Amino acid sequence: MAATLVFRLHDRGPELLREVLLERGWEEYDEGEQEEEDWNLYWRGSAFHSSQYHNLLPWQRLNHHPKTAGITRKDFLARNLRRMRVASGSALYDFSPTGFILPSDYTRFLAEYNQLHLTSGESVYWICKPVDLSRGRGIFIFKDIKDLVYDCSVIVQRYISDPLLISGYKFDLRIYVCVKSFHPLTVYIHQEGLVRFATEKYNLSSLHNLYAHLTNTSINKFGPFYKAEKERVGPGCKWTLSKFRHFLNSQEVSQLVFWQRINNIVTLTLLTIAPTVPPCPNCVELFGFDILIDVRLKPWLLEVNYSPALTLDCQTDITVKKGLISDLVDLMNYTSIDSLRERAYLKHRHKQPCFHATQSSRVPIPALSKFKGPKFKKKRSGIQSSQTQILPLGSQRPVTIPLKGTRAVKEQHVPPLRVGGFIRTFPFNTATLKASQHKLDVKVIIQELHKLTAHLAPGQSDKTKQRREEHTDGAEDFESLLWGPKDPPLLSQLSITSKEVEL
Ligand code: ADP
């Protein structure tokens, strides 16, 4: 019998993860009992040190990829999106409100402010946010530049002043995105997520009322109306994404394009950093994408959260986050090999840790001198040697064990369509699979996103659709689901019967 899988939590949290893993029969790492390397998952809310990536062993997983701050820090995200807007076209990268990093962009902000003041006058609003704070801390909304006061680095953004409201309440969506790997880029989005409401009715004449303008739970749970039964919204400040789907149905909203636009935001945002993230096959990361929807149903990216909150404030949190974490563990793809840990490693002489430095990162891979001697521990005495035989023998390559359900298309591995509530959103066809296998071909990926979006757009004539189908490279080999709608449809089905698919 294989040894139990072991998890290691930094700073004792998050409690939800501990609970889920213990329920699944995992064991918590204990410094006194276990050796330094004797764990399968190390989870931190903050970043890992670079040495922790370099020394990662085949049975170990970390919950962050290296160097993802490029999308998770507000100022870095703004810069990266601006760079992509220039390189790939503003029409595509038009999902983030215009933003300025102050003080460095002050002159540019002033020019834009004056210009808009002349053309749009009273109807322009701005929001100011400290770049390295979260949970709504330090945020304020203003109209007049004389009210812009700051004493740290901030981002000033166009305030989306016409959000979609539900019974007069503002809300945003927390979408959970798992980047299974950056090389090749493999992305899953969870079907369940959160709708986070403001707890007072939206009103542009009270810009100081944060309970009406901000949707952070950390703020609204202290609001006077948090517990009150609010029209349609109910008590508290959260819905599940499933409940939001019902709401959209009741409004007879055409959902295909809506969900695909959010899909595109996720992929296009990840593309801004994907080429520069060093490969680390044993890392998995859960990001929280915050999306605001305006009255025209256009989704806007507000920010990407590095360690989305896993605290449980209400029943909605329990429903959403418990399933999410359980599916995330499945996505991490632990197999019996992982529970063999060091013994299997020594037996098959893997001499290399999992981290792979790219030319761009130029990080030397240290030798694993400490793994030379036959060092077995009592904890693993129950391991049967036969189980070690499925390890890739003597491999000098990182151990990338295919996930259950993985298929090969023209000798390339296609990750499974879905794992629990996680739907694979990238790659979504043969062309994007190819474009992400070696050096990421951002141009091809963007072209494919264009094609797919055009394909789903209402009013496409059957002839145009047919022409597109003829040009879709190898579509018949490659199944993909459209993340978002209830019972996500296959993209291949949509090409024929998009109007008939039940949302
Ligand atoms: P934080 O990291 O502090 O949560 P966010 O960027 O997520 O910062 O902003 C907090 C909240 O402020 C959001 O959840 C949203 O309700 C509101 N908000 C942020 N930016 C905008 C914007 N540009 N337009 C409208 N509302 C915004």
Side-chain angles (χ1 to χ4, degrees):
M1 211 192 74
T4 315
L5 292 163
V6 175
F7 65 93
R8 188 172 175 176
L9 303 181
H10 180 69
D11 262 357
R12 305 240 354 107
E15 186 52 39
L16 172 66
L17 183 69
R18 173 180 289 109
E19 199 185 304
V20 169
L21 291 174
L22 290 176
E23 266 173 28
R24 293 171 69 118
W26 286 52
E27 197 179 297
E28 184 156 7
Y29 179 79
D30 178 338
E31 257 177 59
E33 280 255 318
Q34 273 118 341
E35 298 258 338
E36 181 75 35
E37 308 79 19
D38 203 2
W39 47 266
N40 298 94
L41 170 65
Y42 192 170
W43 187 282
R44 283 184 75 110
S46 52
F48 288 101
H49 192 270
S50 57
S51 64
Q52 288 170 300
Y53 292 108
H54 297 151
N55 296 325
L56 202 56
L57 294 163
W59 60 85
Q60 298 175 331
R61 312 278 194 282
L62 301 180
N63 72 315
H64 294 294
H65 291 278
K67 300 190 184 206
T68 54
I71 55 169
T72 55
R73 241 186 80 140
K74 294 180 176 73
D75 48 346
F76 295 171
L77 174 67
R79 270 200 198 107
N80 275 325
L81 291 175
R82 191 185 298 163
R83 179 177 53 78
M84 290 300 271
R85 218 172 278 139
V86 172
S88 312
S90 54
L92 196 66
Y93 276 90
D94 69 341
F95 53 79
S96 160
T98 315
F100 301 89
I101 300 148
L102 303 189
S104 58
D105 290 343
Y106 188 78
T107 317
R108 288 183 49 235
F109 167 61
L110 200 60
E112 178 86 358
Y113 174 87
N114 287 330
Q115 165 77 19
L116 284 169
H117 213 67
L118 278 179
T119 52
S120 314
E122 291 298 284
S123 59
V124 182
Y125 297 82
W126 301 91
I127 185 165
C128 176
K129 324 185 220 184
V131 295
D132 53 4
L133 287 186
S134 59
R135 291 181 271 131
R137 289 171 295 177
I139 295 185
F140 63 93
I141 299 151
F142 66 96
K143 251 174 107 166
D144 194 322
I145 201 162
K146 73 172 173 12
D147 296 324
L148 172 60
V149 182
Y150 55 95
D151 58 6
C152 59
S153 185
V154 294
I155 173 158
V156 170
Q157 238 177 25
R158 268 298 282 275
Y159 186 61
I160 308 298
S161 56
D162 54 354
L164 182 68
L165 303 176
I166 296 182
S167 293
Y169 293 95
K170 177 174 170 177
F171 64 92
D172 70 3
L173 308 181
R174 163 61 56 87
I175 307 291
Y176 294 102
V177 174
C178 174
V179 179
K180 174 82 178 65
S181 138
F182 272 98
H183 304 279
L185 185 62
T186 311
V187 183
Y188 286 81
I189 310 185
H190 206 273
Q191 276 291 98
E192 205 44 282
L194 291 171
V195 183
R196 308 176 315 159
F197 285 92
T199 45
E200 291 191 29
K201 290 209 176 188
Y202 189 69
N203 184 350
L204 279 170
S205 52
S206 61
L207 296 182
H208 298 302
N209 185 359
L210 298 184
Y211 302 127
H213 289 277
L214 303 193
T215 51
N216 304 78
T217 308
S218 47
I219 290 193
N220 282 287
K221 69 180 174 190
F222 299 111
F225 298 100
Y226 176 66
K227 289 194 177 141
E229 180 70 39
K230 296 172 282 299
E231 187 188 341
R232 190 150 195 177
V233 172
C237 66
K238 280 180 188 162
W239 278 6
T240 60
L241 211 53
S242 300
K243 190 164 174 181
F244 181 62
R245 282 187 196 99
H246 277 116
F247 166 78
L248 290 179
N249 271 339
S250 72
Q251 306 294 300
E252 295 182 4
V253 167
S254 153
Q255 294 188 47
L256 285 184
V257 178
F258 174 78
W259 295 115
Q260 183 53 33
R261 279 173 121 172
I262 299 182
N263 263 310
N264 286 356
I265 291 179
V266 170
T267 310
L268 291 168
T269 304
L270 291 171
L271 285 181
T272 66
I273 56 161
T276 55
V277 174
C280 191
N282 280 21
C283 298
V284 166
E285 185 144 7
L286 183 70
F287 294 105
F289 277 61
D290 290 348
I291 307 276
L292 185 78
I293 299 151
D294 71 18
V295 273
R296 288 168 298 282
L297 285 178
K298 176 181 161 73
W300 294 89
L301 176 68
L302 297 183
E303 71 159 343
V304 181
N305 290 273
Y306 182 68
S307 275
L310 294 177
T311 42
L312 304 178
D313 285 323
C314 57
Q315 185 53 44
T316 309
D317 272 345
I318 298 172
T319 312
V320 171
K321 295 178 186 177
K322 236 184 148 175
L324 172 80
I325 290 302
S326 193
D327 292 343
L328 183 69
V329 177
D330 286 338
L331 202 50
M332 287 182 191
N333 189 29
Y334 287 96
T335 67
S336 51
I337 295 165
D338 294 298
S339 59
L340 303 176
R341 297 196 277 277
E342 191 174 338
R343 183 170 176 167
Y345 177 87
L346 287 168
K347 191 167 170 114
H348 296 291
R349 296 198 195 98
H350 282 272
K351 290 290 180 211
Q352 214 172 7
C354 296
F355 185 88
H356 261 206
T358 51
Q359 279 196 330
S360 60
S361 64
R362 291 178 211 283
V363 190
I365 299 174
L368 269 177
S369 49
K370 58 190 165 186
F371 282 97
K372 290 204 171 122
K375 195 171 52 150
F376 295 95
K377 298 176 196 103
K378 61 177 181 342
K379 279 250 159 206
R380 289 172 226 114
S381 57
I383 299 167
Q384 289 171 6
S385 61
S386 62
Q387 285 173 286
T388 62
Q389 288 171 6
I390 38 176
L391 264 177
L393 295 174
S395 166
Q396 289 301 305
R397 304 182 54 212
V399 178
T400 46
I401 304 146
L403 203 54
K404 271 177 241 125
T406 305
R407 291 186 313 109
V409 168
K410 293 178 190 152
E411 286 160 28
Q412 304 191 46
H413 283 291
V414 182
L417 274 180
R418 72 180 292 166
V419 174
F422 275 113
I423 306 292
R424 183 202 350 106
T425 58
F426 192 93
F428 55 87
N429 62 13
T430 317
T432 49
L433 177 72
K434 264 194 219 149
S436 56
Q437 284 301 305
H438 304 291
K439 195 170 173 293
L440 196 72
D441 193 335
V442 175
K443 213 168 143 196
V444 167
I445 295 168
I446 286 179
Q447 274 167 9
E448 290 302 312
L449 281 178
H450 264 307
K451 278 195 217 166
L452 178 60
T453 311
H455 191 65
L456 297 175
Q460 279 266 5
S461 73
D462 288 346
K463 255 195 177 159
T464 325
K465 279 186 176 168
Q466 203 181 339
R467 259 204 312 275
R468 288 196 193 289
E469 272 155 44
E470 283 159 11
H471 284 94
T472 315
D473 182 15
E476 69 287 354
D477 304 342
F478 200 114
E479 298 276 30
S480 282
L481 295 165
L482 175 73
W483 169 83
K486 180 172 174 276
D487 303 327
L490 284 167
L491 292 183
S492 56
Q493 257 175 14
L494 291 172
S495 63
I496 311 157
T497 56
S498 61
K499 286 198 192 84
E500 294 155 31
V501 173
E502 202 205 317
L503 298 171

